Amino acid sequence: MGNYINIGNTAFQSVRNGEYVDKSGLIAIVNSMLFTERRFSCVSRCRRFGKSVAAKMLCAYYDHSCDSREMFADLKISQDPSFEKHLNKYPVIYLDMTSFTTRFHDERIVDSMESELRKDILAAYPDVHIDGEADLMQSLLAISEQRGQQFIFIIDEWDAICREFDPATRAMDRYINWLRRMFKSVDGTRVFATVYMTGILPIKKYKTESALNNFMEYSMVNPRRMAGSFGFTKAEVMALAEKYGTD
């Protein structure tokens, strides 16, 4: 278990220990996009719509370093045909961008993020030969080729840097270039089974559409299949009201 790779299922277990409205249908949607041209997805919602909870759920489901079967046994996804096929089968990289925006306030943020991710991933694969000068993407490529496996990459609050830095700053330029390096080239389809990002506002808000136009965006105005995966539906609210005997 690392800081960013294979972090386990404890975060989602904490969610399950409280009141949890079953949003596991999202997993079936993401499963249907694995290894396809639609593998890059970005969900944009306001705060308090359950984006981080969904990201924790996906980590718990895919992470091959833990056993999450019991955690999902009573949820809707357990009845889906894809449930067994992908349960705890992948190395998962989880990145919460706010953990960097709270520590770094200049252009060092991107280099620090790249360095910490690479260090954590190399520690998880000490037996894989990786060139000492390799960047994060080159390191992931080496692991993928030598191990014959692809990664799940989950980024929560991908736009945190965009919210903290002015668009004209060098930090923003470097971040957009980092996103392009990781996800825009053909290497992205070789390394990642899927990339799932969340943010507050749509990608085009930050003029990154040319860098990330391979992402399918599921916004509030165009949620597509993910409409019921965030926030609460009327039926869910009614069920909670009945459970607790309230209007």
Side-chain angles (χ1 to χ4, degrees):
M1 182 179 293
N3 295 317
Y4 305 103
I5 185 168
N6 301 331
I7 63 173
N9 57 19
T10 55
F12 187 57
Q13 181 63 67
S14 296
V15 174
R16 290 302 322 265
N17 289 342
E19 181 68 70
Y20 176 68
V21 174
D22 189 349
K23 295 291 183 178
S24 63
L26 173 65
I27 296 173
I29 296 174
V30 178
N31 281 348
S32 72
M33 298 187 289
L34 294 176
F35 308 108
T36 72
E37 291 185 350
R38 296 178 292 116
R39 76 185 70 190
F40 300 97
S41 57
C42 182
V43 173
S44 54
R45 290 290 187 283
C46 300
R47 297 185 186 277
R48 315 310 303 170
F49 264 71
K51 300 187 302 296
S52 294
V53 169
K56 293 172 183 176
M57 176 184 70
L58 293 174
C59 280
Y61 173 75
Y62 288 115
D63 191 337
H64 69 176
S65 71
C66 57
D67 183 355
S68 303
R69 184 179 304 279
E70 184 176 346
M71 198 175 296
F72 289 96
D74 62 335
L75 299 181
K76 295 174 183 176
I77 184 59
S78 65
Q79 305 302 313
D80 190 88
S82 69
F83 177 66
E84 294 287 347
K85 182 177 181 180
H86 301 291
L87 176 64
N88 299 134
K89 297 289 175 58
Y90 303 91
V92 176
I93 303 170
Y94 176 77
L95 178 62
D96 181 351
M97 291 304 305
T98 59
S99 68
F100 289 93
T101 56
T102 55
R103 289 186 287 146
F104 301 97
H105 305 284
D106 55 35
E107 65 182 58
R108 293 178 303 162
I109 189 170
V110 177
D111 287 341
S112 298
M113 177 179 64
E114 166 98 4
S115 176
E116 288 188 25
L117 282 169
R118 185 176 182 276
K119 181 180 179 181
D120 201 44
I121 290 167
L122 292 185
Y125 294 92
D127 58 327
V128 174
H129 175 70
I130 299 174
D131 190 297
E133 299 299 318
D135 65 7
L136 177 59
M137 175 53 85
Q138 289 171 320
S139 300
L140 291 172
L141 272 169
I143 295 169
S144 182
E145 290 172 355
Q146 293 178 47
R147 285 294 186 87
Q149 61 185 183
Q150 289 180 285
F151 294 83
I152 303 285
F153 201 157
I154 298 172
I155 305 179
D156 198 10
E157 303 281 2
W158 81 272
D159 56 342
I161 288 181
C162 305
R163 302 195 305 267
E164 294 294 328
F165 291 86
D166 185 87
T169 60
R170 180 169 170 77
M172 268 294 293
D173 288 341
R174 298 190 71 175
Y175 182 49
I176 298 305
N177 285 333
W178 183 82
L179 291 171
R180 181 182 291 113
R181 167 69 175 133
M182 293 298 296
F183 308 129
K184 180 64 174 176
S185 71
V186 68
D187 291 341
T189 57
R190 295 168 60 190
V191 169
F192 303 116
T194 197
V195 177
Y196 177 91
M197 303 198 309
T198 74
I200 293 177
L201 293 174
I203 289 173
K204 65 181 180 180
K205 176 70 176 179
Y206 301 108
K207 304 185 186 302
T208 61
E209 61 267 29
S210 61
L212 301 176
N213 62 3
N214 57 323
F215 276 78
M216 288 286 293
E217 186 143 37
Y218 300 88
S219 65
M220 293 189 72
V221 295
N222 191 15
R224 300 184 180 91
R225 295 184 295 166
M226 293 190 185
S229 299
F230 299 91
F232 297 114
T233 65
K234 183 177 180 178
E236 289 165 347
V237 173
M238 293 297 289
L240 286 170
E242 182 177 355
K243 178 179 179 179
Y244 290 101
T246 188
D247 191 314

